[in-house]
C-alpha cells in the first residue's frame, strides 16, 4: 500500500444543509446559531435563519425576509454575513446584490437585530460614494469601545471595482471608504488559486474564461479593538491596520497604505475570526485547511481534511468551539462552464479551541 497524505484535526458536524448553500454563521453569547444564505442562484426561501431544534427558522421573521419594492431598506435581500456581537445584537450585512448584481438602491445595508426581542433595532444604509455600483459588502466586525455607539468595519470584496474597508460610525450612521483600491484590499494579480488540484477560474457556459479575482473579504478584529486584520479573497496574504488610523479622517487615503502591516502568507482565505487571546483563525481553501495565526505572527495548521471543502465563515461560541461553514463554493456552476458540481449536504462544523471569542466591548 502506498503512503498517502496525512489529515488531522478533530471536528464534528453541527448541522447539515440539504437546501440552499450557506455562507455565514454567527454564534451568540447564549449559544444561539444563525446562518445566512445569499441569493446566488439557489432556491433561497429566507436569506437569514436561526437553527432551532435542528430546523432552520427564518430570522428575525419570515416577513423580514420577503422583499418588495416598498420595503427595500427594511427587508433582507441577499445576506452575505451575520455577526453576533456578544452583547445581545445580531449584525446582518445585506449585500442588496442578488447574483452579484449592482446593489439595489437602498438595499445594501447593515442591520442591527435585538436578540432579546428578535426585532430590527436599526438599519444603516449607505450613500452612493460608499456603496459603489461595483460594491459587494462581504463581512463586518464591530467595536463598542470607541465613539458614542461604536464603529463597524466592512469589507468590499468587489470583483469588478475597487476593494475597500468601509468604516461606519454607529451613532450617526456616517460611513466612508478606506484603503479604496489599495494593494492590500485588491486581488493578487499573480495568484493562480488551485482547489482540489485544479485551477479555480470563472468558466462560463459559453466557454469563455476569466481569472477568479475578488477583493478584501476576510476580516477580524483584535480583542482590544485596536487592530483590524483583513485579506482579499484572491490572495494568500494577511494584512492589518490600526483601527484608529482607519477612523482618522485627517489621514488621506493615499497615505493610509503606509499604516498597513504585512504579516506574510497565511494561505488563501475566505473568513477569519479572532479569539480572546488575539489568535487569528483563517481558512485555507486551496488546502482544505484551517490556520491559526498567533499574535507573534507564527502560523500553524490546526485542521487539514478533505471534507473541509471551502471553509467559509467562522464564529467562536461561548462553548469555546470554532464554528465554520463548509460550502463547496468552488464547485458552483460559474466555475465549471455552467455545471453545478456541488454535492449536498453543505455543513456547519465545529472544533474545540478552548478559547472564548474576542470581546467587542
Amino acid at each position: 500500500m502506498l503512503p498517502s497524505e496525512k489529515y488531522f484535526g478533530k471536528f464534528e458536524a453541527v448541522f447539515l444543509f440539504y437546501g440552499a448553500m450557506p455562507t455565514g454563521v454567527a454564534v451568540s453569547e447564549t449559544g444561539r446559531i444563525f446562518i445566512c444564505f445569499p441569493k446566488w442562484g439557489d432556491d433561497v426561501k429566507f436569506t437569514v435563519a436561526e437553527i432551532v431544534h435542528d430546523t432552520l427558522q427564518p430570522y428575525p421573521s419570515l416577513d423580514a425576509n420577503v422583499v418588495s419594492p416598498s420595503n427595500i431598506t427594511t427587508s433582507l435581500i441577499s445576506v452575505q454575513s451575520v455577526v453576533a456581537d456578544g452583547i445581545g445584537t445580531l449584525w446582518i450585512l445585506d449585500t442588496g446584490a442578488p447574483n452579484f448584481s449592482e446593489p439595489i438602491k437602498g438595499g445594501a445595508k447593515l442591520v442591527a437585530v435585538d436578540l432579546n426581542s428578535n426585532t430590527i433595532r436599526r438599519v444603516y444604509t449607505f450613500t452612493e460614494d460608499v456603496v459603489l455600483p461595483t460594491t459587494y459588502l462581504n463581512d463586518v466586525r464591530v467595536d463598542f469601545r470607541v465613539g458614542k455607539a461604536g464603529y463597524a468595519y466592512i469589507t468590499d470584496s468587489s470583483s469588478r471595482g475597487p476593494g475597500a474597508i468601509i468604516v461606519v460610525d454607529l451613532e450617526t450612521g456616517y460611513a466612508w471608504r478606506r484603503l479604496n483600491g489599495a494593494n492590500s484590499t485588491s486581488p493578487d494579480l499573480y495568484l493562480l488559486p488551485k482547489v482540489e488540484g485544479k485551477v479555480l477560474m470563472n468558466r462560463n457556459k459559453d466557454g469563455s474564461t476569466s481569472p477568479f479575482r475578488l477583493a478584501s473579504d476576510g476580516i477580524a478584529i483584535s480583542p482590544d479593538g485596536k487592530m483590524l486584520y483583513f485579506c482579499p479573497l484572491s490572495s494568500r496574504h494577511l494584512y492589518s491596520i490600526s483601527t484608529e488610523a482607519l477612523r482618522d479622517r485627517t489621514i488621506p487615503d493615499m497615505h493610509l497604505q503606509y499604516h498597513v502591516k504585512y504579516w506574510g502568507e497565511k494561505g488563501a482565505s475566505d473568513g477569519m475570526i479572532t479569539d480572546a487571546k488575539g489568535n487569528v483563525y483563517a481558512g485555507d481553501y486551496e488546502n482544505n485547511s484551517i490556520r491559526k495565526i498567533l499574535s507573534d505572527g507564527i502560523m500553524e495548521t490546526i485542521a487539514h481534511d478533505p471534507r473541509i471543502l471551502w471553509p467559509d465563515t467562522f464564529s467562536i461560541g461561548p462553548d469555546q468551539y470554532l464554528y465554520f461553514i463548509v460550502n463547496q463554493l468552488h464547485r458552483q456552476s460559474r466555475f465549471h462552464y455552467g455545471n453545478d458540481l456541488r454535492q449536498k449536504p453543505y455543513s456547519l462544523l465545529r472544533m474545540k479551541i478552548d478559547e472564548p471569542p474576542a470581546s467587542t466591548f
Side-chain angles (χ1 to χ4, degrees), residues 141 143 145 153 219-230 239-247 259-263 274 278 280 295 358:
R141 294 292 176 262
D143 177 28
R145 288 160 289 207
Y153 308 95
I219 191 172
I221 195 165
S222 63
D224 61 6
K226 291 182 177 177
M227 186 81 72
L228 195 75
Y229 301 91
F230 60 98
Y239 303 94
S240 71
I241 190 169
S242 95
T243 53
E244 185 180 10
L246 283 174
R247 294 189 305 271
H259 293 260
V260 173
K261 179 180 177 182
Y262 176 58
W263 288 78
T274 32
V280 179
S295 53

Side-chain angles (χ1 to χ4, degrees), residues 47 118 123 208 353:
T47 188
N118 300 312
V123 176
S208 62
I353 57 171

Side-chain angles (χ1 to χ4, degrees), residues 194 209 232 329:
K194 301 175 192 72
T209 62
L329 185 148

Side-chain angles (χ1 to χ4, degrees), residues 89-140:
T89 302
L90 182 72
W91 296 86
I92 296 175
L93 191 61
D94 189 351
T95 66
N99 286 315
F100 304 100
S101 64
E102 183 175 323
I104 298 166
K105 195 163 185 174
K109 55 193 173 285
L110 179 63
V111 180
V113 179
D114 186 306
L115 288 174
N116 292 316
S117 63
N118 300 312
T119 55
I120 292 174
R121 190 173 68 238
R122 186 165 175 184
V123 176
Y124 298 86
T125 55
F126 303 103
T127 54
E128 290 178 11
D129 60 333
V130 175
V131 167
L132 312 176
T134 55
T135 290
Y136 191 84
L137 301 180
N138 197 296
D139 209 348
V140 59

Side-chain angles (χ1 to χ4, degrees), residues 77-200:
I77 300 169
S78 181
V79 171
Q80 177 70 26
S81 249
V82 284
V83 174
D85 64 11
I87 50 172
T89 302
L90 182 72
W91 296 86
I92 296 175
L93 191 61
D94 189 351
T95 66
N99 286 315
F100 304 100
S101 64
E102 183 175 323
I104 298 166
K105 195 163 185 174
K109 55 193 173 285
L110 179 63
V111 180
V113 179
D114 186 306
L115 288 174
N116 292 316
S117 63
N118 300 312
T119 55
I120 292 174
R121 190 173 68 238
R122 186 165 175 184
V123 176
Y124 298 86
T125 55
F126 303 103
T127 54
E128 290 178 11
D129 60 333
V130 175
V131 167
L132 312 176
T134 55
T135 290
Y136 191 84
L137 301 180
N138 197 296
D139 209 348
V140 59
R141 294 292 176 262
V142 290
D143 177 28
F144 302 109
R145 288 160 289 207
V146 287
K148 288 186 178 175
Y151 278 79
Y153 308 95
I154 299 169
T155 46
D156 179 349
S157 66
S158 176
S159 62
R160 310 185 302 278
I165 293 169
I166 296 167
V167 181
V168 189
D169 182 334
L170 295 175
E171 181 204 9
T172 63
Y174 183 66
W176 60 96
R177 296 174 70 86
R178 296 299 251 160
L179 297 173
N180 186 59
N183 281 341
S184 56
T185 58
S186 300
D188 177 358
L189 301 183
Y190 297 101
L191 174 72
L192 199 63
K194 301 175 192 72
V195 192
E196 292 193 83
K198 295 182 179 178
V199 172
L200 179 66

